[in-house]
Every structure is written in structure tokens, then in C-alpha cells.
């Protein structure tokens, strides 16, 4: 990759770092603005992750809620067993990616509405598995997640920093993908997958890579949500709106663009 290709991701990360430094300087007692900003940052990260599959590749995925919920429970279970939130987030990313790779390789053979329905099916499957596995997940009673601190305001600031960091990394990663050989291949697939395959593009490999990257970001978002809220249940974290809202935000801002999910999220929220 050229230095020009890396310039945009580095600029996005620099802006993110500046935003993270501002969070500790926020005045005390501003819990509602911090909550709204955290929700906005989480949605921004999810919209950027969906854009890699739905925008760059042209595959209308509804599996975001599935990976979001999986990441939330992976982080919650790790924290319940005494692991720090960083270990929980790492587990969330790995779990989402490991599920996305084989699942994506299978359903990405479908196209259009058939792929959309198959991706939505994953959300229902994971919700049922989580509800039934009550010995590990707490089932329908939900799961209490240890907070980052005893003080709710400290927890809120920590969650905001995590969400802002995730949003910045997600947007920077989408910029990096769009300017790489992976982004070029995904663009070819979006325009005409049959022609791209005829020209030597390994469509199955590139689509699976995009789906896996997207899933990892969504899993991290779910982990941050679990650490922030402190209590999760299947009907909440596997809510299909976690799949719909990122799509709406990306559509508002511009599907397939780098800053589209950012602008769309701000307008939507």
C-alpha cells in the first residue's frame, strides 16, 4: 500500500485519539450527554462494520445483531469469571470472527434476498442457543456483568472512551480496506460478481474476509455494550434492531463511502 492509502486511516485515528483525550475533561454530572455520545459511537462502529459487507461488497447482511449479541455474552461471561474487560473484548472479537468465517463462507454463496434471509437466521439461532444454555449464559434470566468501576460516572466515561475508540478503529479500518487490494476486489464483486470471478478475483475468499472483519467489529461493540450496561439478556442484545439501525445510518450517510456511516449516524441519532 502507498503512503497516500494509509494517510486517511491515520488521520481518522488521530482525530479519535484527540476525542479520547477530551473525555476525561468533561464536567462531572453530564451523564445524559455521555450516554447519548456512547450510543452514537456504538452505532457508528456498527454502521462502519456493516458498510464493509453491505456497502463495499454489496451484500445486504442482517447478521450484525447476531455478532453483537455473541460479543456481549463472550465479554460478560469472561468478566463474570474474573477476567478484565480487555480480555473479554478480545474474546468477543475472536468468537465473532471464528463464527463468521465458516458461516460466511457458506451463506455468501447466496445473493440478494436469499443472503439477507440466511444472515437474519443467524440472529435467531444464536438467541435460541443463548436462551437454552442457561448454565453458561443465565438463559432467559439474563447475565449480570461486573462494571468497570463502582462509580457509575467512571463507568460511563470508560464506556464512552471504549465506544469512541471502537468507532475510530472501525472507520479507519474501512478506509484501509477501501484503499487496499481487498477493497478493489470487493468493489469488483459489487459491480459484477460473475465478471469479477471470470477476471480471476477469488470472490469467496474476499467476501468471507470482509464478513469476518465486519463480524469482529460488531462483536467488540457488543462487548463494550455489556461492560457498559452491566446486565444483558437475549431479547436485548439479539434484538434485530441492532442489525437494522446500522443499515439505516449507512443509507442516510451514503452506502459504500468511508464517512457515510459517520454522517448517517450523527443524523440518525
Amino acid at each position: 500500500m502507498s503512503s497516500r492509502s494509509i494517510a486517511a486511516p491515520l488521520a481518522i485515528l488521530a482525530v479519535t485519539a484527540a476525542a479520547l483525550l477530551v473525555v476525561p475533561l468533561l464536567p462531572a454530572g453530564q451523564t445524559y450527554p455521555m450516554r447519548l455520545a456512547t450510543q452514537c459511537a456504538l452505532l457508528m462502529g456498527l454502521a462502519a462494520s456493516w458498510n464493509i459487507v453491505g456497502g463495499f461488497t454489496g451484500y445486504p447482511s442482517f447478521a450484525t445483531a447476531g455478532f453483537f449479541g455473541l460479543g456481549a455474552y463472550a465479554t460478560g461471561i469472561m468478566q463474570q469469571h474474573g477476567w478484565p474487560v480487555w480480555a473479554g473484548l478480545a474474546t468477543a472479537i475472536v468468537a465473532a470472527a471464528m463464527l463468521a468465517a465458516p458461516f460466511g463462507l457458506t451463506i455468501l454463496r447466496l445473493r440478494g434476498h436469499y443472503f439477507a434471509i440466511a444472515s437474519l437466521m443467524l440472529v435467531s439461532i444464536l438467541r435460541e442457543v443463548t436462551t437454552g444454555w442457561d448454565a453458561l449464559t443465565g438463559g432467559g434470566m439474563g447475565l449480570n456483568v461486573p462494571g468497570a468501576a463502582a462509580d457509575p460516572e467512571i463507568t460511563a466515561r470508560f464506556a464512552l472512551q471504549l465506544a469512541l475508540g471502537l468507532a475510530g478503529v472501525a472507520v479507519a479500518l474501512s478506509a484501509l480496506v477501501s484503499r487496499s487490494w481487498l477493497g478493489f476486489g470487493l468493489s469488483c464483486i459489487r459491480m459484477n460478481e460473475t465478471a469479477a470471478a471470470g477476471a480471476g478475483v477469488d470472490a469467496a475468499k474476499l467476501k468471507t474476509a470482509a464478513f469476518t472483519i465486519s463480524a469482529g467489529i460488531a462483536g467488540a461493540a457488543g462487548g463494550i455494550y455489556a461492560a457498559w450496561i452491566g446486565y444483558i439478556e437475549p431479547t436485548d442484545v439479539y434484538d434485530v434492531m441492532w442489525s437494522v439501525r446500522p443499515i439505516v445510518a449507512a443509507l442516510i450517510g451514503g452506502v459504500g463511502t468511508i464517512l457515510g456511516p459517520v454522517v448517517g449516524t450523527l443524523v440518525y441519532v
Side-chain angles (χ1 to χ4, degrees), residues 59-60 107-116 193-194 207:
Y59 273 70
I107 69 167
L108 284 166
R109 300 176 185 274
L110 305 172
R111 300 184 187 181
H113 297 87
Y114 298 102
F115 170 77
E193 185 171 344
T194 303
K207 289 187 296 183

Side-chain angles (χ1 to χ4, degrees), residues 38-65:
T38 304
Q39 291 175 337
C40 185
L42 281 177
L43 179 57
M44 194 178 295
L46 290 173
S49 73
W50 178 88
N51 195 43
I52 296 175
V53 176
F56 297 163
T57 316
Y59 273 70
S61 174
F62 283 88
T64 305

Side-chain angles (χ1 to χ4, degrees), residues 97-131:
M98 288 183 64
L99 176 63
F103 185 77
L105 188 62
T106 302
I107 69 167
L108 284 166
R109 300 176 185 274
L110 305 172
R111 300 184 187 181
H113 297 87
Y114 298 102
F115 170 77
I117 294 172
S119 65
L120 185 60
M121 176 186 67
L122 176 65
V123 182
S124 299
I125 292 174
L126 287 174
R127 182 171 59 244
E128 292 302 321
V129 170
T130 303
T131 303

